[in-house]
Amino acid sequence: MIKPSPTLAITAKARRLKQEGKDVISFGAGEPDFDTPSVICDRAIQAIRNGETRYTPSAGTVLMREAVSKKFERENGLSYTADQIVVSCGAKHSIYNALQVTINPGDEVILIAPYWMTYADQIRLAGGEPRVIHTSQESGFKPTFDQLRGAITPKTRAIIVNSPSNPTGAVQSRETLKEIASLAIKHDFWIITDEIYERLIYGSVHESIAALGSDVYDRTITVAGCSKTYAMTGWRIGYAAAPLEVARAMSMLQDQVTSNPTAFAQAGAIAALEMPNDAIEAMRSEFEARRDLIIGMLNAIPGISCAVPGGAFYAFADFSETLREGETDIELASELLDNAYLAVVPGTVFEGPGCLRFSYATSREEISRGVNRLGDYLASRSA
Ligand SMILES: Cc1ncc(COP(=O)(O)O)c(C=O)c1O
């Protein structure tokens, strides 16, 4: 059934070892290491002092939903009214709501592996079944049209798209998005698009699949949030935009489950959405420099190969040539933590066996130290 999150488990073990005084270098965390910008914190503190400490409408305050609506217009070329927007306790919660209101027991949802493992569990929580398409580094983690078409059955009810992706960092091309859109229209299924990493993108421009045309827009639920772009993981603010009837259903569901996301966190999120671009750009360009550093260093180690990711803050490196006969990536990850104090997440967690995921949401010094240590450890292992 539902599995515990291995990413959180590894992060917890790494923390424990650290508390015991071990020099752990963590590539495990899926969150920016930056502090939340002070303009956001100040607005939330002000909101508490102003008495914004009560229930808000379940789907979020009107001001917050208007700020999200303007963001979609400005950054994504998408026109959503405030009524079409539901603000939730993180994008994870938004995706949960989306699946609960679109999936019936027995329905299938297409996933493109390697994928963020929460999707599979949330599909099952809604009574559905994941139908997985496998992609690899060689194909740039892009599904082919034949793979997409082959995954469709009479039970297909939705596809989840995640670009840029966790865990691969892959950015899907406009061509692939168009293919997905045309199949969804032809076979009448939903597109749930998780665009949480939309602003952490290197060398290309983010494209929202819902902006490809009104027929795609009508069957798409667009999810994004504040966690990654603004270093706000603990604030728990995500949002979804959808056709009105779907947004209403999500809002009604939320009414009976959590009610509104935290009132003053919403106030902080408005400041985030209105923040000038340079503060975000400073974080984005630092991630890009870290990406270049870690990919160069990983590829310099014999037996490791890692495609250059176009977004997010993950390097999904192929270790299949390093693994011993019969050894799994799970065993290697565990050995690296126990013996070299390096925390990484095994690819099997994301249905990407033979790989390890490195989060580079950590300083360049730590990246250099960690990957050097990895190289030394692997060299001593094979000696
Ligand atoms: C692909 C993806 N979607 C959603 C989330 C969750 O974001 P939030 O903190 O807004 O719930 C994550 C967090 O790791 C993620 O990697």
Side-chain angles (χ1 to χ4, degrees), residues 198-232:
E198 61 182 328
R199 299 293 296 274
L200 300 177
I201 195 158
Y202 319 115
S204 66
V205 176
H206 176 71
E207 290 215 54
S208 287
I209 191 166
L212 290 177
S214 61
D215 39 5
V216 199
Y217 175 98
D218 287 342
R219 57 182 58 255
T220 299
I221 303 169
T222 304
V223 174
C226 294
S227 288
K228 318 287 175 170
T229 304
Y230 310 104
M232 290 175 69

Side-chain angles (χ1 to χ4, degrees), residues 19 28 44 46 53 181 185 192 223-224 239 255 264 302 317 327 341 366:
Q19 277 163 0
Q46 196 59 48
T53 52
I185 294 162
I192 299 172
V223 174
Y239 45 83
D255 258 345
F264 41 88
E327 188 184 31
Y341 302 129
E366 284 292 273

Side-chain angles (χ1 to χ4, degrees), residues 30 89-93 95 116 119 162 164-166 194 196-197 224-228 232-233 236-238 314 357:
C89 308
K92 189 182 250 182
H93 184 200
I95 298 160
W116 185 45
Y119 299 141
N162 174 217
S165 146
N166 175 10
D194 176 357
I196 189 91
Y197 294 101
C226 294
S227 288
K228 318 287 175 170
M232 290 175 69
T233 46
R236 310 310 303 131
I237 295 288
Y314 307 103
R357 189 195 77 173

Side-chain angles (χ1 to χ4, degrees), residues 235-263:
W235 294 64
R236 310 310 303 131
I237 295 288
Y239 45 83
L244 193 55
E245 59 178 319
V246 176
R248 285 209 175 117
M250 289 172 69
S251 176
M252 280 196 294
L253 172 66
Q254 194 160 293
D255 258 345
Q256 303 304 354
V257 184
T258 57
S259 301
N260 61 279
T262 304

Side-chain angles (χ1 to χ4, degrees), residues 27 44 73 106 114 154 214 229 241 258 284 363 383:
F27 293 106
E73 190 84 54
S214 61
T229 304
T258 57
R284 192 209 63 82
S363 71

